[in-house]
Amino acid sequence: MTSPTQRSPTSIALGGDEWRAIAQTHAARADALTAGRRARASRGETHPVDDFLFTYYSYKPAVLRRWHPGAGVELADADERAGWRWYRSNGYGGVVVDVDAFRADRGDLITAVFRLLRATSQRPAHFGCFGLHEWAMVYRDAAPRHDVPLRLSAAETDAVVEASELRCTHFDAYRFFTDAAVPRNHEPLSRDLQVAREQPGCLHAGMDLYKWAMKLGPVVPGELLLDAFALARDIRTLDMQASPYDLRNWGYEPVTIETVEGKTEYGRRQRAFSARASEIRAHLLARLDGVS
């Protein structure tokens, strides 16, 4: 009989104590990343920056705590996971992610995400948008999307948009532009054109890596999922600091992209986030290549 920790010909094997320790470390990191959200939820409070990651993406903190080893990793002594969706007995005394079942259930998703991430990774990064998508979402609009005051007057906010070139490449930001702002973008965007327009300098494309990692479920290792979430949270912070909203009462100093100094800071941080996103994107593509 095969021992519980014996490896199959193509997998990595983790003993019961080993993988449970990894899962506990993962849960602790997830708890640290979501502590603020969970505390506010218990008090019925909201947050204009952090809540976005739980409302727009709609994944609860508890989902982040659930560790998966990723495809091709055997877990010994894991009877409690034998009934989990997309897991199966591996025939070597443990369980493994059932790639065939996941592919059968999520084949269209795998194909779509792989196409998008590969196209994005192969395209040169473009910088210089300066986060103006948030400004375009309030342009000539008497009722801004967020219940937070603007740091400039409405007329001054509109003037920033009118003095700038809107170069948004991300459809899920563009679709929230006001009607007056839509024709000001350098090119029209649509869902059908997303694969052709997405580019690795875009901060929202970097944020969405968290969404794709979550949707790919057990084939993505827990560490990679939390790396994607941490990146999304950091990007969201810059996104709102560079927005027209005044968030100083929340502890966020503005990145004044209407000034030379603000543009310089935004560009520096955008490039750093793009580099982090490219690394995570490459890891996700490798995982997708293994299950497609």
Side-chain angles (χ1 to χ4, degrees):
M1 178 176 291
T2 303
S3 65
T5 58
Q6 181 175 335
R7 298 186 181 198
S8 72
T10 58
S11 296
I12 298 169
L14 297 176
D17 291 343
E18 185 178 6
W19 73 258
R20 286 187 177 87
I22 295 171
Q24 289 175 358
T25 299
H26 170 93
R29 183 185 175 198
D31 285 346
L33 287 168
T34 63
R37 166 67 175 184
R38 290 182 290 108
R40 288 190 303 274
S42 70
R43 300 189 297 265
E45 298 174 358
T46 60
H47 194 284
V49 179
D50 192 49
D51 281 354
F52 179 84
L53 298 178
F54 304 97
T55 55
Y56 179 79
Y57 290 117
S58 72
Y59 299 115
K60 296 180 179 179
V63 182
L64 279 168
R65 295 186 90 248
R66 184 177 299 169
W67 175 80
H68 294 289
V73 179
E74 300 175 3
L75 304 181
D77 183 27
D79 291 343
E80 66 267 38
R81 294 202 175 205
W84 283 26
R85 190 179 188 187
W86 298 314
Y87 277 77
R88 62 172 174 78
S89 171
N90 64 3
Y92 291 86
V95 301
V96 68
V97 173
D98 191 341
V99 172
D100 291 337
F102 186 78
R103 188 188 302 115
D105 289 347
R106 295 290 186 266
D108 290 345
L109 172 70
I110 292 169
T111 299
V113 176
F114 185 81
R115 286 183 64 235
L116 177 62
L117 298 188
R118 182 176 61 179
T120 304
S121 68
Q122 293 175 343
R123 196 164 286 123
H126 296 289
F127 304 102
C129 65
F130 303 118
L132 282 161
H133 54 276
E134 287 288 345
W135 298 70
M137 294 177 193
V138 301
Y139 179 64
R140 294 188 180 180
D141 192 340
R145 294 179 64 236
H146 299 290
D147 187 22
V148 179
L150 299 177
R151 58 183 179 81
L152 303 177
S153 69
E156 290 170 327
T157 300
D158 291 345
V160 171
V161 175
E162 291 165 358
S164 307
E165 184 178 9
L166 299 182
R167 301 193 60 82
C168 184
T169 58
H170 189 71
F171 175 70
D172 282 316
Y174 173 83
R175 68 191 178 96
F176 291 108
F177 281 23
T178 64
D179 291 343
V182 166
R184 303 188 71 90
N185 204 46
H186 75 293
E187 61 183 357
L189 303 176
S190 68
R191 182 68 68 199
D192 291 341
L193 292 173
Q194 187 171 8
V195 173
R197 295 289 185 266
E198 203 92 312
Q199 53 88 18
C202 172
L203 292 188
H204 276 256
M207 289 182 68
D208 277 353
L209 294 174
Y210 163 59
K211 173 177 68 176
W212 304 132
M214 187 65 84
K215 285 182 177 292
L216 293 170
V219 303
V220 174
E223 181 179 7
L224 184 56
L225 171 64
L226 294 188
D227 286 347
F229 178 83
L231 173 63
R233 191 176 69 166
D234 291 345
I235 288 175
R236 173 62 176 173
T237 298
L238 175 60
D239 208 31
M240 293 304 286
Q241 282 182 293
S243 78
Y245 297 102
D246 188 349
L247 295 163
R248 283 171 289 194
N249 286 341
W250 295 87
Y252 298 94
E253 287 299 317
V255 175
T256 54
I257 55 89
E258 68 275 20
T259 69
V260 173
E261 294 78 12
K263 285 182 170 64
T264 300
E265 180 181 353
Y266 186 93
R268 174 182 58 79
R269 291 168 65 178
Q270 182 182 25
R271 289 176 184 274
F273 288 142
S274 177
R276 284 172 62 186
S278 292
E279 183 175 354
I280 292 171
R281 188 177 293 111
H283 285 303
L284 288 174
L285 281 168
R287 292 287 167 175
L288 285 166
D289 193 41
V291 301
S292 59

